[in-house]
């Protein structure tokens, strides 16, 4: 957000974007504090990095460093203003004494300083949430990461923790759902590598169907090509019924599911599921990881759309972000189930063959038998 203290690196000054509303809130707050420094103790939790404008943040930090002036003396001279300016200039060389007077003139009501500070905190929350979204998108699409799934999940945890932190500082209010329309999810990448992995999964699962009942962590919607997901559903349906599984039975099941077309003939299906390599678990994990990364990328894009909509309040951003994370959390549970080591089964309990232990010795005589009454 440009202002007189910020350099502009463009060639045409007419192309400067207009200042955002938070720019005027920052000016109003700094003007209020320059006029009445004692209000620094009344504006609540605020730090220099909460300001979107670097020079404004440096000036705010200098106010906390320079001792507060005597209120009566402050109305008679500008010694405190000069000291604050001198302290802030090493961090923001563009600051001038005339800009401090501009800030003072930009404050409508010094007594509204707390409200201005709240606006700055809200905009900082929006910017920080956008940074989390950008990092999530970057980690989900970075092919150089040694363990992209772990990186994405760590970034997701950081995002969730930040949302929890925001919820403690910004109260809920009616109409908490964001009004930003939902954009369609980005198209799943259908590169040749992804398609090859899905073909190999179908072929190996057809050749080794015994473990399909243990692969419930993989769902048809995880496949990049819908047809492959539907064929996987045919395989799991056969396995669940305890039916025979081989290329011919898969073909028969696919016919009942209306998957055969002019572009996908019976011979194509037979060729697809007849060349197994490796194990189903291996290819299934790769497919699920690709689905996890794709969902994380979609969540990051959704959060970017939400934070770019200035109409959303912080609480609406919190609610919308948590809703977007719900789908990612579901895939995360399945991913953890797929990659966790199988629990070791307990050894079966055996009945003891030792003689039973004798009970404690009886210290009293047994009661006499009850006599039957006879006529």
């Amino acid at each position: 957000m440009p202002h007189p203290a910020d350099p502009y690196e463009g060639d045409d000054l007419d192309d400067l974007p207009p200042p955002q509303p938070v720019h005027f809130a920052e000016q109003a707050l700094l003007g209020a504090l320059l006029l009445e420094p004692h209000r620094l103790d009344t504006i609540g939790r605020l730090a220099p990095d909460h300001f979107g404008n670097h020079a404004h943040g440096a000036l705010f930090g200098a106010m906390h460093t320079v001792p507060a002036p005597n209120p009566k003396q402050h109305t008679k001279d500008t010694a405190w203003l000069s000291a604050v300016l001198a302290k802030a200039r090493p961090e923001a060389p563009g600051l001038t004494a005339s800009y401090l007077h501009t800030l003072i003139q930009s404050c409508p009501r010094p007594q509204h300083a707390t409200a201005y500070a709240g606006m700055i905190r809200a905009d900082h929350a929006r910017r920080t949430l956008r940074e989390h979204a950008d990092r999530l998108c970057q980690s989900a699409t970075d092919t150089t990461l040694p363990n992209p799934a772990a990186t994405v999940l760590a970034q997701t945890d950081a995002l969730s923790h930040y949302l929890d932190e925001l919820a403690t500082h910004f109260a809920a209010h009616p109409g908490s759902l964001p009004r930003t329309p939902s954009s369609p999810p980005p198209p799943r990448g259908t590169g040749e590598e992804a398609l090859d992995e899905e073909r190999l999964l179908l072929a190996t699962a057809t050749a080794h169907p015994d473990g399909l009942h243990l692969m419930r962590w993989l769902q048809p919607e995880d496949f990049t090509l819908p047809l492959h997901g539907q064929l996987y559903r045919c395989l799991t349906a056969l396995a669940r019924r305890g039916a025979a599984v081989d290329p011919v039975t898969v073909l028969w099941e696919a016919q009942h599911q209306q998957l055969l077309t002019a572009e996908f003939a019976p011979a194509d299906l037979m060729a697809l599921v007849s060349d197994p390599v490796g194990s189903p678990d291996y290819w299934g994990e790769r497919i699920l990881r690709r689905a996890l990364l794709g969902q994380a990328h979609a969540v990051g894009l959704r959060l970017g759309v939400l934070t770019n909509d200035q109409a959303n309040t912080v609480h609406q951003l919190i609610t919308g972000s948590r809703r977007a994370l719900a789908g990612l959390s579901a895939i995360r549970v399945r991913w953890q189930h797929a990659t966790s080591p199988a629990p070791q089964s307990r050894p079966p309990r055996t009945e003891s063959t030792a003689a039973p232990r004798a009970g404690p010795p009886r210290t009293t005589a047994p009661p006499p038998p009850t006599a039957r009454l006879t006529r």
Side-chain angles (χ1 to χ4, degrees):
M1 54 192 72
H3 64 88
D6 276 344
Y8 177 66
E9 299 179 356
D11 297 328
D12 189 355
L13 294 180
D14 293 335
D15 292 338
L16 283 171
Q20 296 297 316
V22 70
H23 174 73
F24 299 98
E26 291 182 2
Q27 285 187 322
L29 174 64
L30 293 175
L33 299 178
L34 291 172
L35 281 171
E36 302 177 1
H38 69 276
R39 296 191 182 276
L40 276 168
D41 299 329
T42 66
I43 60 175
R45 180 185 59 91
L46 195 66
D49 61 356
H50 286 174
F51 289 78
N53 183 292
H54 174 74
H56 288 173
L59 189 60
F60 182 76
M63 292 179 184
H64 281 275
T65 305
V66 178
N70 180 278
K72 293 183 179 180
Q73 187 65 28
H74 182 61
T75 60
K76 298 178 182 180
D77 58 46
T78 60
W80 188 75
L81 298 181
S82 300
V84 169
L85 180 60
K87 188 68 176 178
R89 268 182 172 170
E91 293 291 332
L95 281 174
T96 63
S98 63
Y99 187 63
L100 265 61
H101 290 287
T102 299
L103 293 175
I104 293 174
Q105 295 172 358
S106 301
C107 178
R109 298 286 188 275
Q111 59 269 32
H112 295 168
T114 301
Y116 306 147
M119 300 172 191
I120 296 171
R121 282 192 292 270
D123 192 74
H124 173 260
R126 182 191 309 278
R127 296 195 313 273
T128 305
L129 187 56
R130 185 183 301 123
E131 292 172 1
H132 277 279
D134 292 341
R135 285 195 291 268
L136 185 60
C137 284
Q138 181 179 3
S139 59
T141 56
D142 189 352
T143 58
T144 64
L145 295 174
N147 192 343
T151 304
V152 162
L153 295 181
Q155 181 57 44
T156 302
D157 289 337
L159 172 59
S160 299
H161 291 329
Y162 183 67
L163 292 174
D164 293 339
E165 179 184 347
L166 285 183
T168 63
H169 296 297
F170 292 88
H173 56 79
S176 59
L177 293 178
R179 295 181 291 270
T180 309
S182 298
S183 54
R188 297 279 300 276
T190 55
E192 195 60 31
E193 181 181 2
L195 296 178
D196 282 343
E197 292 173 354
E198 294 176 1
R199 297 185 190 107
L200 290 170
L201 180 278
L202 294 173
T204 54
T206 302
H208 309 287
D210 294 342
L212 280 177
H213 68 285
L214 299 176
M215 291 179 57
R216 295 182 179 179
W217 39 264
L218 186 65
Q219 298 295 322
E221 58 267 22
D222 297 330
F223 290 73
T224 58
L225 188 65
L227 174 61
H228 290 169
Q230 293 167 340
L231 290 174
Y232 180 72
R233 180 179 284 111
C234 292
L235 277 166
T236 55
L238 290 171
R240 187 170 53 249
R241 296 198 303 263
V245 178
D246 60 33
V248 175
T249 60
V250 174
L251 173 63
W252 195 254
E253 183 72 16
Q255 175 182 250
H256 291 166
Q257 300 300 324
Q258 298 180 331
L259 301 182
L260 302 177
T261 63
E263 293 77 17
F264 188 64
D268 299 325
L269 190 151
M270 294 284 289
L272 177 63
V273 298
S274 298
D275 191 13
V277 176
S279 66
D281 285 351
Y282 175 79
W283 300 115
E285 286 186 15
R286 294 183 68 88
I287 293 170
L288 184 57
R289 182 180 64 182
R290 195 180 304 276
L292 175 72
L293 299 180
Q295 183 66 24
H297 185 220
V299 170
L301 293 178
R302 175 57 180 167
L303 266 60
V305 172
L306 291 175
T307 53
N308 287 335
D309 188 349
Q310 299 288 335
N312 288 322
T313 65
V314 175
H315 191 70
Q316 287 174 321
L317 292 176
I318 295 172
T319 304
S321 299
R322 285 176 169 169
R323 285 198 165 197
L325 282 170
L328 180 57
S329 299
I331 296 184
R332 177 178 189 165
V333 171
R334 294 193 283 116
W335 170 254
Q336 291 174 338
H337 183 72
T339 56
S340 298
Q344 296 181 354
S345 58
R346 291 184 175 182
R349 297 183 60 184
T350 57
E351 295 184 1
S352 175
T353 57
R357 295 178 59 187
R362 180 176 294 172
T363 57
T364 58
T370 304
R372 294 185 60 184
L373 295 177
T374 57
R375 291 185 180 181

